Amino acid sequence: VYATVVRHGGVQEVDQIIELFRKSNSSDQRVVMLTSSGASADPAAVEKALQWSLTDDVRSQDLFYVLGSASANGRGRESAWQFLQKNWNVLFERYGGGAFLLARVATISCETFASNERADEIEAFFATKSVPGIERPVSQAVEKVRARAAWRARDTDQLRAWLAQRFQS
């Protein structure tokens, strides 16, 4: 229910999720709220959720729920990637001691893209970051992005033709 409300809403609905989160004592419900918070089609709402993930409301190990929600959202994906780049120093300070956690933050922010241009951008961004332990996960994320780009290039025309044939108006 939370995700549906946020998906069809904007900043006001994210504010409501945040307020409900603050009042909730149920850890299960709080996780559901976190994973719903980045689902909006409104970039301002996604940005609000991402910024909220850096506050004291959200435990550092729970930032992944918000970031993952935004990254999985086709309209929030760009916001998640921009958030990572803009807040890299804060995120590094928070997770840098544990390469696994920092690698997860890094990859969850970028692995859902599907263009070679974006793969190049991701490689360029991380080439300037000297963090032992994230090279391989970032390389795997870039590989996923390039695989999606190849799939799109190979199958887009066929998929469009198939859809047009079956769903003509």
Side-chain angles (χ1 to χ4, degrees):
V1 172
Y2 298 122
T4 301
V5 169
V6 173
R7 192 173 299 118
H8 297 287
V11 173
Q12 181 179 353
E13 287 71 21
V14 171
D15 284 337
Q16 290 172 338
I17 292 290
I18 292 169
E19 196 55 40
L20 288 169
F21 179 90
R22 288 176 177 152
K23 292 177 181 176
S24 178
N25 292 323
S26 167
S27 60
D28 291 343
Q29 285 298 306
R30 291 176 74 136
V31 167
V32 172
M33 291 177 218
L34 289 165
T35 58
S36 302
S37 64
S40 181
D42 177 358
V46 174
E47 181 64 28
K48 170 91 179 190
L50 290 167
Q51 289 305 319
W52 172 57
S53 73
L54 291 176
T55 69
D56 291 338
D57 283 350
V58 179
R59 297 180 309 173
S60 61
Q61 68 265 30
D62 291 343
L63 172 130
F64 303 99
Y65 294 119
V66 180
L67 193 55
S69 174
S71 294
N73 170 2
R75 297 195 176 160
R77 189 169 295 138
E78 180 65 29
S79 296
W81 173 235
Q82 295 300 323
F83 172 81
L84 173 84
Q85 294 175 84
K86 185 171 43 175
N87 293 288
W88 177 257
N89 291 336
V90 172
L91 295 167
F92 179 78
E93 193 174 299
R94 186 181 276 194
Y95 301 107
F100 172 78
L101 293 174
L102 188 61
R104 190 68 194 122
V105 168
T107 59
I108 204 169
S109 303
C110 65
E111 67 187 3
T112 56
F113 287 109
S115 76
N116 286 317
E117 295 79 18
R118 189 51 60 112
D120 292 343
E121 181 183 330
I122 294 164
E123 284 180 324
F125 177 77
F126 285 107
T128 66
K129 311 299 175 217
S130 178
V131 183
I134 71 165
E135 299 89 355
R136 184 175 178 164
V138 168
S139 175
Q140 290 170 333
V142 168
E143 187 177 319
K144 286 180 186 178
V145 173
R146 291 196 191 284
R148 281 191 196 89
W151 175 82
R152 283 179 64 190
R154 184 190 69 225
D155 294 341
T156 297
D157 291 340
Q158 288 178 332
L159 180 59
R160 279 193 183 126
W162 183 86
L163 289 169
Q165 182 182 22
R166 280 160 181 72
F167 300 103
Q168 294 175 347
S169 352

